[in-house]
Amino acid sequence: MAGFGHGTRRHPRSRGRTWSRTGPDRATLGIVGTVCAVAGFFVLGIILGPVAIACGWLAMGRSWTGARPVPALIAVVLGAIDTLLAIIWLAGAATPGNGMF
């Protein structure tokens, strides 16, 4: 019979669940960043590009040293290209005339 606070387990969490933490893990952030970067080429590149860069940077562990996961690196590179193209497109759309040039 279990009394108050004297259950069969000494610790409230089992040993297998101690690694879990709140928030997304690095692999998920890398994939989310890659999806945002690819989607940013088609819609809202000025918003999704920086989001992809931030997700990729967080997935890499906020540093350029060490082993980098491939989706995180792809997210940073494509997010930077996406942001640059969106800025060039917006600069071209702001000029008077028919197009960018």
Side-chain angles (χ1 to χ4, degrees):
M1 182 151 90
F4 294 106
H6 300 291
T8 57
R9 293 186 304 178
R10 292 184 182 253
H11 303 287
R13 290 187 176 200
S14 65
R15 191 172 296 274
R17 291 179 48 199
T18 56
W19 58 268
S20 65
R21 57 179 164 64
T22 58
D25 60 346
R26 290 183 178 179
T28 304
L29 281 173
I31 293 169
V32 167
T34 303
V35 168
C36 286
V38 171
F41 282 114
F42 302 105
V43 293
L44 298 173
I46 195 70
I47 296 171
L48 292 177
V51 169
I53 293 171
C55 287
W57 179 255
L58 290 174
M60 286 193 310
R62 298 183 190 133
S63 69
W64 289 106
T65 60
R68 295 180 200 101
V70 175
L73 188 61
I74 290 173
V76 171
V77 170
L78 288 181
I81 293 170
D82 190 22
T83 304
L84 183 66
L85 289 176
I87 290 172
I88 290 172
W89 182 77
L90 285 173
T95 59
N98 291 333
M100 188 166 33
F101 297 110

